[in-house]
Amino acid sequence: MASTSSPSSSSGRVPSSILIIGGGVFGLSTAWALCNNPDFKDTSITLIDRLPFPTTDGSSIDASRIIRPDYAAAPYAKLAAIAQEKWRTDFAPEHYHQTGLCVTAAGPEQKYVSASLANVQALGVDKVEVLQSSEDIKRVCGLEATGPTGAGNVGYVNWSSGWANAEGGMRWLRKKLEALNRVNFVVGKVASLAIDHQTSSISGATLSDSTHITADLTILAAGAWSASLLDLRGICKATGQALCYMPISASEESTLSTRPTLLNLSNGLFMIPPANGLLKVARHGHGYTNPTTIRHPESEDPNATITVSLPYTHIDDPNLTVPVEAHRSCRDFLANIHPSLAIPSRPFTQSKICWYTDTRDGDFLISYHPKYKGLFVATGGSGHGYKFLPVIGECIVNCVMGRTPEDFKERWAWPQQRVPEEQWSGDGSRGGPVGMVLKEELGKGRRANL
Ligand SMILES: Cc1cc2nc3c(=O)[nH]c(=O)nc-3n(C[C@H](O)[C@H](O)[C@H](O)COP(=O)(O)OP(=O)(O)OC[C@H]3O[C@@H](n4cnc5c(N)ncnc54)[C@H](O)[C@@H]3O)c2cc1C
Ligand SMILES: *[C@@H]1O[C@H](CO)[C@@H](O)[C@H](O)[C@H]1NC(C)=O
Ligand SMILES: *[C@@H]1O[C@H](CO)[C@@H](O)[C@H](O)[C@H]1NC(C)=O
Ligand SMILES: *[C@@H]1O[C@H](CO)[C@@H](O)[C@H](O)[C@H]1NC(C)=O
Ligand SMILES: *[C@H]1O[C@H](CO)[C@@H](O)[C@H](O)[C@H]1NC(C)=O
């Protein structure tokens, strides 16, 4: 793979100051792991985020995230199993709900289902139930639908998977970190990395108010916004995913809250069991891009620009709702599985577009930058990073120290070449429409009320 030689670790020197850009899953758990690692006891640690915690439009803050070890790729399956054991025991267990995950598919996506199932079984088959018909799926998920939900469906339910209150888990970790009184938390927007083009090195960052933060090592963990600070064309791109929420009654909640999450890999739609009076339906899909022309983040020429997909959220437009197309998909999915919840008098009352940081194959990007000394990148969550909150920081710190876990050496390395985004193979788990541009879809109409 491309140079994984680590400017700091190769000299065996521990940085005296570290700046982490971004306080989501990747940044926050890195800060936590640094604080818990005696090698860094004399290192000053600063974590900056553009918004006060919790960042409401960050990918790590939401009602729920699925926690599952069912991966088609064995290394992630193993790491997820370790993370999940922590969720069950000592990592914010009050925010973890083990109600199972039911994965279904109706078309070519069945391949991913079978591959995941093989891995899940290889880990120990205890609580996995194979589902061979839509009747099986209805029974297991407690679907209200009486008619066919799509003939020939296959799937499985793993009763030892679950979901976590994503904001709850983040708050839990943030509180622990604040209690250590080690990390200097800064609220401010990084405008650019402090690049010295002569020496190809990064000495920290410049904020939008022109102040500088100097650091020996800068860790870029800005999620889907990372591409605004570094040229990540052909490496990472932001894709917007649609989420819709509906208030439900206490009795509906008590019926549904014990059921597994239902994820249909054929269209990417999923429903996480309701909590706190809110039901969530969303799509794990190819998503929307939001091509944006910005100043080239690495060019010495102040007039040079690049066009990259960047997040567009309710912070940019408080009136933002999901496009009509996504609203309809979420509605149809709900009508298909729980018709009584999808009647006109039961609208979605909130919606949101949440941004994945996709890589071409779904692998994270956790690596020193091949060109700039003093820069480490920890991003590329690709829509599956949340579950690793208890463990990813330790992995990142190991990579910083030049001890990338063997299984992930190739997967997390800086890619040898940039691959045009239309040629990305993806991780094989996405359903739904391909190639949508957010502003075009919004142009086709917004929901005045959801
Ligand atoms: C809709 C949706 C559903 C998902 N479902 C699941 C799931 O079921 N299971 C699962 O495991 N994972 C899931 N994921 C993926 C998971 O949530 C992400 O991989 C993870 O949260 C990414 O964390 P992050 O730290 O990279 O990004 P973020 O949480 O977005 O953090 C990046 C931070 O950087 C800050 N930042 C950006 N630019 C700047 C700047 N210029 N200056 C200062 N700060 C800046 C932002 O404010 C933000 O807080 C889902 C993601 C989405 C969007
Ligand atoms: C999953 O999606 C496919 C394709 O849209 C559909 O045929 C099938 O009925 C869906 N299954 C469930 C359980 O929703
Ligand atoms: C950038 O553009 C401005 C306005 O077009 C021009 O005046 C300036 O000379 C340009 N700078 C460089 C470095 O090309
Ligand atoms: C949001 O909607 C309100 C009320 O309709 C309107 O006054 C406002 O201009 C809108 N804001 C944006 C950013 O579009
Ligand atoms: C289901 O899969 C794996 C394999 O059984 C197992 O370790 C786990 O406890 C079960 N639940 C899951 C997958 O989390």
Side-chain angles (χ1 to χ4, degrees), residues 68-70 81 84 88 119-121 123-128 158-161:
R68 56 163 178 121
D70 338 30
Q84 192 173 16
R88 287 193 187 106
N119 273 320
V120 163
Q121 285 173 329
L123 289 172
V125 246
D126 50 341
K127 291 196 175 160
V128 182
N158 187 332
W159 291 107
S160 25
S161 287

Side-chain angles (χ1 to χ4, degrees), residues 104 106 149-150 153 264 266-267 333 336-337:
T104 70
T149 56
N153 273 0
N264 185 343
S266 292
N267 52 22
F333 177 62
N336 200 15
I337 55 178

Side-chain angles (χ1 to χ4, degrees), residues 62-67 95-102 140-143 157-159 161-166 244-246 248-249 252-263 270-282 333-334 337-338 341:
D62 192 14
S64 49
R65 288 284 180 267
I66 302 167
I67 310 290
H95 294 296
Y96 173 70
H97 308 274
Q98 192 157 298
T99 58
L101 169 65
C102 176
V140 157
C141 296
L143 304 186
V157 62
N158 187 332
W159 291 107
S161 287
W163 63 273
N165 173 334
C244 295
Y245 306 84
M246 173 189 289
I248 65 164
S249 72
E252 288 165 337
E253 180 167 323
S254 73
T255 316
L256 292 172
S257 61
T258 56
R259 295 297 185 165
T261 294
L262 174 60
L263 166 61
F270 63 97
M271 186 184 106
I272 294 188
N276 306 317
L278 218 50
L279 178 77
K280 170 172 141 184
V281 175
F333 177 62
L334 191 59
I337 55 178
H338 291 292
L341 296 176

Side-chain angles (χ1 to χ4, degrees), residues 20-32 47 177 221 378 396:
I20 301 169
I21 303 173
V25 163
F26 282 72
L28 196 67
S29 65
T30 300
W32 175 243
L47 186 151
L177 201 50
I396 291 168

Side-chain angles (χ1 to χ4, degrees), residues 312 316-320 446:
Y312 185 75
D316 304 301
D317 173 0
N319 298 338
L320 184 63
R446 301 192 186 201

Side-chain angles (χ1 to χ4, degrees), residues 208-230:
S208 55
D209 65 3
S210 300
T211 57
H212 297 275
I213 298 181
T214 303
D216 248 12
L217 178 66
T218 299
I219 300 182
L220 179 61
W225 289 268
S226 299
S228 67
L229 297 173
L230 202 58

